[in-house]
Amino acid sequence: MPQNLLKRVLLYNKNADLALLKRAYEFASAAHENQKRISGEPYILHPLSVAYILAELELDLETLAAGLLHDVVEDTQVTLGQIEREFGTEIALLVDGVTKLSRLEFKSKEENQAENLRKMFLAMAKDIRVILIKLADRLHNMRTLDYHPDFKQKEIATETLEIFAPLAHRLGIYRVKREMEDLAFRYTNLGAYFDIDKKIASTWEKREEYIREVIGMLQEKLDGMGIKADIQGRPKHLYSIYSKMAKQKKELSEIYDAFAVRLIVDSVKNCYEALGIVHTLWKPIPGLFKDYIAMPKSNMYQSLHTIVIGRNGEPLEVQIRTSEMHRTAEYGIAAHWRYKEGGQTDKQFDEKLAWLRQLLEWQHELRDAREFMESLKIDLFSDVVFVFTPKGEVFEFPSGSVPIDFAYRIHTEVGHRCTGAKVNGRITTLDYKLKNGDIVEIITSKQASGPSRDWLILVKTSQAKSRIKQWYKRELRDENSVKGRDMLDREIKKQGLNLEILKNDKLMGIARRLNIFTVEDLYASIGDGAVSPLTVINKLKEDSVKPVQASLEEELQQLKTETFTPVKNQPTQGVTVKGVDNLLIRLAHCCKPVPGDPIVGYITRGRGVSIHRNDCRNLVHFQKADQERLADAVWSQDFRFPFQVKLEVWATDRAGLLSDVMAVVSEMKMSANWVTARGGKKNNVAIIEMVMEMKNKEELDYLVGRINRVKDVYEVKRTS
């Protein structure tokens, strides 16, 4: 066991029981025994380096042990079960959280990346240490990136800049963020990297002299006021300078905080007193003072920032904070890590991670890999603005958000009824870009007709987009329901029938026979053309004559004496029904089960046994009225025929939508028995219905997943 890791642990935890680390190291070393890194070094050096980075973040022994073991499940024959038996559930969950989904097949790198990140974020929401291990893993990989081919270097570095460095920033771990960004910058834009490095090096002596002069002036004034302070020049990392030059379209000499000093004092009171001294020495630039002590960032960062005009008119940034704030600024969420002891949780710590759980909730419905990645970068990694309610409550939004985003953050109904907004007391347009410190008040109306489709272009947050899309789905159903009710009423009057025939209980019976869940759904089906009003009326007429029903025992006896001739190609031999022999077994048309679906049998009146999916909505009716007719059923292994499944695809209407969906079907070499498509003129919603031939549920699930990734598709569901 290398001693440098043990010594580093003892620096911050003198009473640490190092036996766990030694055991984890020996286990990982044996698992990776014959493996080498691309550099030719023994593989165990990588997990060892990861554990050392975690020790620099002063994390607990369980996290360090998981760091040593983080690659054994992914890269060796060791299973997660073995990890759990050897090291316990806690460490096994940490290892599982950082283990990629490498044994599943993905159709694209983007899908692979999205699903791995989704898995990591879910694990991260349960235990934040998962991401700390992943960041340490990525940081060491970046330090050893030289050994990869050029294309791989750029691919890994780009992902680091787009995902992992911003994530470190979101968690406030700036020491990891800075190093990741500078390393990635070198591999993604070598020319710009060396250009800035050269310019900074050419002025290094001048910069050092200037910073020494500033520190001397500050130290003298602070000593005179009796304020103890550690004053240091703040190194500016290259990527930060490059980003500001590119964003602000300025030269290096024009970047405000290229010259910077940091004051670390012993109390919050002295932070503000030191700020006053700074402002007496140099003139502050208006609008560039930021108080992150009174209003901390969401990643717990606290500090005072001010930019002043220094010698020869050169801008100088000064940061002022306490030593505890400085530790948080360097270590972020890791500095505040307190693992649950005796079932107690740190409520403040959990509150700081509320944004992560909220993010996962908003992105739950994003199945498309590209949409997931784009939404992730906006919600989690973009610049943020802090906005106030009139009562002083603070909300954080991605840069570029508008009042509609604010409305949906308050409540879904506030968003739906939003008709305008006041910002800082003045009425403004709904496309106004929110700024730091804005006080926003939403104007609503009970008469509001709901969100506009144009809002989908304006809003920035996934939450607002999701709520608007859901409203349009529900609105279309309600509209069709009203339309269907009118159509049925007109047909009843046309045939001279009594409207009493439309009693709710009678319509419910018709709805069930048509495999429809509620009367409102029946009306909606009539309204969108799926069910004809004549069909409903004819069935209502049929119900006026009720045949005398035999008992279940009599029916079974009669059924067993009859000989059924199965329809050609009907997969009746693919299902076994417990307690029922020699009866026709057929698949229900309402839910169209396929091999792999959990199923149950229903003994019909005179037509054998119908097989339904366990989640078939008609079973609710059966279980209440005909419980004795239900029978356990399972799939046999001898089914040989294709199964028909009806799918309904809901999407935003656009040119080429149907061809894009059918391209997926064609690419997967599947058969579609029939396809229909219709669009909603008012709501711009397209509905594509198709009946597909499937071999089993796995094939069906895969097809649904692929169609869900087609642009503008927001729901795919099985229907009757």
Side-chain angles (χ1 to χ4, degrees):
M1 177 78 189
Q3 294 301 304
N4 62 336
L5 175 60
L6 302 180
K7 289 177 181 177
R8 187 67 185 81
V9 172
L10 292 172
L11 282 177
Y12 67 91
N13 187 356
K14 293 180 181 179
N15 300 318
D17 180 3
L18 302 177
L20 174 64
L21 287 187
K22 292 176 182 177
R23 197 154 52 88
Y25 172 77
E26 290 167 2
F27 188 95
S29 186
H32 294 297
E33 184 177 9
N34 298 317
Q35 294 179 336
K36 300 281 186 183
R37 299 202 84 204
I38 296 176
S39 62
E41 297 175 324
Y43 194 91
I44 189 61
L45 292 180
H46 169 62
L48 190 60
S49 299
V50 169
Y52 191 83
I53 292 170
L54 294 169
E56 289 180 317
L57 295 175
E58 301 186 359
L59 289 164
D60 56 293
L61 294 178
E62 288 77 13
T63 308
L64 270 61
L68 287 167
L69 298 164
H70 79 275
D71 271 341
V72 294
V73 174
E74 187 176 326
D75 294 335
T76 75
Q77 297 302 309
V78 174
T79 66
L80 202 60
Q82 289 176 268
I83 297 290
E84 186 169 8
R85 286 192 294 274
E86 290 288 333
F87 299 97
T89 302
E90 181 184 339
I91 291 175
L93 289 174
L94 292 175
V95 172
D96 183 45
V98 293
T99 299
K100 290 181 182 177
L101 302 169
S102 55
R103 293 176 186 175
L104 296 182
E105 292 184 8
F106 296 99
K107 291 299 178 182
S108 67
K109 284 185 178 180
E110 195 168 44
E111 183 183 348
N112 191 349
Q113 181 190 38
E115 292 309 314
N116 279 314
L117 286 171
R118 205 189 297 264
K119 176 179 184 285
M120 184 180 72
F121 286 132
L122 287 170
M124 174 181 163
K126 296 175 183 175
D127 195 327
I128 195 64
R129 293 175 296 175
V130 167
I131 196 58
L132 300 180
I133 297 168
K134 189 62 185 176
L135 289 174
D137 173 45
R138 178 52 62 106
L139 180 57
H140 185 252
N141 283 335
M142 289 301 301
R143 289 174 179 174
T144 56
L145 203 55
D146 272 342
Y147 299 99
H148 286 277
D150 290 349
F151 81 92
K152 195 68 176 175
Q153 288 176 351
K154 193 161 187 177
E155 183 181 299
I156 295 172
T158 299
E159 185 184 49
T160 300
L161 276 181
E162 291 182 349
I163 303 295
F164 292 99
L167 185 53
H169 171 81
R170 196 70 162 83
L171 296 171
I173 313 173
Y174 287 101
R175 64 182 302 170
V176 171
K177 169 189 180 281
R178 288 193 296 266
E179 186 178 353
M180 274 187 176
E181 286 182 338
D182 278 353
L183 287 169
F185 180 31
R186 179 186 163 200
Y187 290 104
T188 54
N189 197 336
L190 190 62
Y193 176 90
F194 281 117
D195 180 55
I196 294 175
D197 189 42
K198 184 179 178 181
K199 286 178 180 177
I200 289 179
S202 67
T203 60
W204 185 255
E205 288 187 11
K206 178 185 173 184
R207 286 160 57 89
E208 287 291 289
E209 180 187 344
Y210 179 44
I211 294 298
R212 281 196 299 270
E213 180 184 323
V214 168
I215 290 175
M217 294 173 68
L218 277 170
Q219 195 70 66
E220 182 181 347
K221 285 285 186 179
L222 290 168
D223 288 345
M225 295 293 293
I227 298 175
K228 293 181 180 180
D230 175 18
I231 309 175
Q232 50 194 232
R234 182 173 68 89
K236 193 70 178 174
H237 65 299
L238 301 184
Y239 183 72
S240 176
I241 294 174
Y242 167 76
S243 296
K244 291 193 174 183
M245 288 172 63
K247 189 175 182 179
Q248 300 173 13
K249 295 182 172 57
K250 293 181 178 179
E251 295 297 319
L252 177 62
S253 59
E254 299 175 285
I255 299 299
Y256 279 154
D257 54 353
F259 294 94
V261 293
R262 181 180 292 136
L263 281 67
I264 301 175
V265 297
D266 57 4
S267 69
V268 173
K269 174 176 172 287
N270 284 342
C271 285
Y272 289 98
E273 289 189 3
L275 175 69
I277 291 171
V278 170
H279 285 174
T280 60
L281 286 172
W282 301 284
K283 186 177 181 180
I285 298 176
L288 296 181
F289 166 66
K290 295 177 181 177
D291 187 345
Y292 293 119
I293 294 179
M295 188 165 45
K297 293 184 179 182
S298 60
N299 59 18
M300 298 184 288
Y301 178 88
Q302 288 183 287
S303 187
L304 297 177
H305 289 195
T306 185
I307 297 178
V308 298
I309 300 297
R311 184 187 64 185
N312 300 325
E314 292 176 307
L316 168 72
E317 183 186 48
V318 181
Q319 297 181 353
I320 308 169
R321 61 182 69 147
T322 66
S323 56
E324 182 61 31
M325 291 174 191
H326 182 61
R327 174 176 164 75
T328 298
E330 292 295 294
Y331 296 96
I333 212 87
H336 288 255
W337 169 251
R338 297 288 183 273
Y339 192 58
K340 298 175 185 178
E341 295 178 1
Q344 298 297 313
T345 60
D346 186 333
K347 287 186 178 179
Q348 187 179 12
F349 181 83
D350 285 344
E351 287 171 4
K352 297 298 182 184
L353 295 180
W355 58 267
L356 172 62
R357 297 181 182 93
Q358 198 171 47
L359 169 78
L360 290 168
E361 179 186 337
W362 295 340
Q363 296 186 345
H364 178 69
E365 297 180 359
L366 297 180
R367 299 182 182 91
D368 179 75
R370 187 170 300 167
E371 188 179 357
F372 175 81
M373 295 302 297
E374 288 174 359
S375 176
L376 192 63
K377 291 170 189 175
I378 290 171
D379 280 346
L380 189 55
F381 309 130
S382 63
D383 291 335
V384 296
V385 293
F386 296 93
V387 180
F388 293 87
T389 68
K391 293 183 179 179
E393 189 178 357
V394 183
F395 287 108
E396 179 184 320
F397 291 94
S399 181
S401 294
V402 296
I404 304 167
D405 291 293
F406 185 92
Y408 278 101
R409 179 70 61 86
I410 294 172
H411 194 277
T412 299
E413 284 304 313
V414 173
H416 290 343
R417 295 176 181 175
C418 174
T419 57
K422 286 184 180 180
V423 176
N424 303 323
R426 294 183 178 181
I427 292 177
T428 187
T429 57
L430 291 178
D431 61 355
Y432 168 82
K433 299 288 190 291
L434 298 176
K435 298 181 177 64
N436 271 319
D438 280 345
I439 301 173
V440 183
E441 182 180 354
I442 299 300
I443 301 170
T444 61
S445 170
K446 290 183 179 179
Q447 284 72 45
S449 59
S452 164
R453 280 201 172 274
D454 294 336
W455 290 6
L456 288 171
I457 301 170
L458 294 177
V459 296
K460 201 75 172 177
T461 60
S462 297
Q463 181 191 28
K465 287 183 180 178
S466 174
R467 299 298 181 263
I468 293 167
K469 288 180 179 179
Q470 286 176 5
W471 187 89
Y472 271 99
K473 281 173 59 179
R474 186 174 66 250
E475 180 68 11
L476 186 68
R477 176 189 175 279
D478 294 344
E479 187 179 298
N480 284 330
S481 179
V482 172
K483 182 180 175 183
R485 186 189 296 267
D486 291 341
M487 290 171 65
L488 191 57
D489 284 350
R490 283 198 302 270
E491 192 61 37
I492 289 285
K493 291 175 182 176
K494 183 179 177 181
Q495 296 199 25
L497 300 174
N498 192 330
L499 286 176
E500 285 293 312
I501 200 172
L502 293 182
K503 282 185 177 179
N504 207 60
D505 57 338
K506 294 181 179 179
L507 286 177
M508 191 66 233
I510 301 301
R512 286 170 180 153
R513 287 167 60 185
L514 292 171
N515 310 313
I516 295 172
F517 192 48
T518 66
V519 173
E520 285 302 313
D521 286 340
L522 176 62
Y523 284 135
S525 297
I526 296 170
D528 68 14
V531 175
S532 165
L534 280 174
T535 301
V536 176
I537 291 171
N538 289 335
K539 289 188 179 295
L540 286 169
K541 289 178 178 178
E542 290 172 12
D543 286 350
S544 61
V545 181
K546 295 184 178 179
V548 178
Q549 296 180 357
S551 67
L552 177 62
E553 291 75 14
E554 291 172 335
E555 289 178 27
L556 283 173
Q557 188 59 42
Q558 182 181 356
L559 287 168
K560 287 179 180 179
T561 61
E562 296 177 5
T563 303
F564 288 98
T565 304
V567 179
K568 186 180 181 182
N569 289 340
Q570 181 72 26
T572 56
Q573 303 305 311
V575 175
T576 300
V577 180
K578 184 178 179 182
V580 177
D581 299 316
N582 302 321
L583 293 185
L584 173 65
I585 295 173
R586 56 192 183 81
L587 302 181
H589 292 294
C590 51
C591 53
K592 293 190 180 295
V594 299
D597 285 331
I599 52 176
V600 65
Y602 177 74
I603 303 169
T604 67
R605 292 183 171 89
R607 293 178 293 133
V609 181
S610 64
I611 304 299
H612 296 259
R613 297 205 317 259
N614 276 359
D615 60 353
C616 177
R617 57 193 182 187
N618 283 328
L619 284 181
V620 176
H621 169 60
F622 294 155
Q623 288 168 352
K624 288 179 180 177
D626 304 290
Q627 181 68 44
E628 61 179 355
R629 292 182 176 274
L630 296 179
D632 292 335
V634 294
W635 293 101
S636 306
Q637 297 301 315
D638 58 347
F639 47 81
R640 300 180 299 277
F641 305 104
F643 292 73
Q644 291 192 351
V645 178
K646 185 177 179 182
L647 296 179
E648 202 172 78
V649 181
W650 290 65
T652 302
D653 201 4
R654 63 171 172 83
L657 175 67
L658 180 59
S659 61
D660 287 349
V661 171
M662 296 314 297
V664 171
V665 175
S666 176
E667 182 185 336
M668 295 180 64
K669 298 180 180 177
M670 290 184 172
S671 299
N673 288 355
W674 61 262
V675 178
T676 63
R678 61 185 186 275
K681 294 179 182 178
K682 180 179 176 181
N683 297 303
N684 198 33
V685 174
I687 303 172
I688 301 171
E689 293 177 313
M690 56 178 72
V691 172
M692 305 296 302
E693 288 194 351
M694 297 287 168
K695 296 177 183 174
N696 50 47
K697 189 173 184 295
E698 288 73 19
E699 188 176 59
L700 170 63
D701 290 342
Y702 188 70
L703 174 65
V704 169
R706 288 293 308 278
I707 296 176
N708 261 313
R709 291 193 287 274
V710 172
K711 182 182 177 184
D712 294 323
V713 170
Y714 52 81
E715 185 177 15
V716 181
K717 58 184 179 181
R718 290 171 71 174
T719 63
S720 58

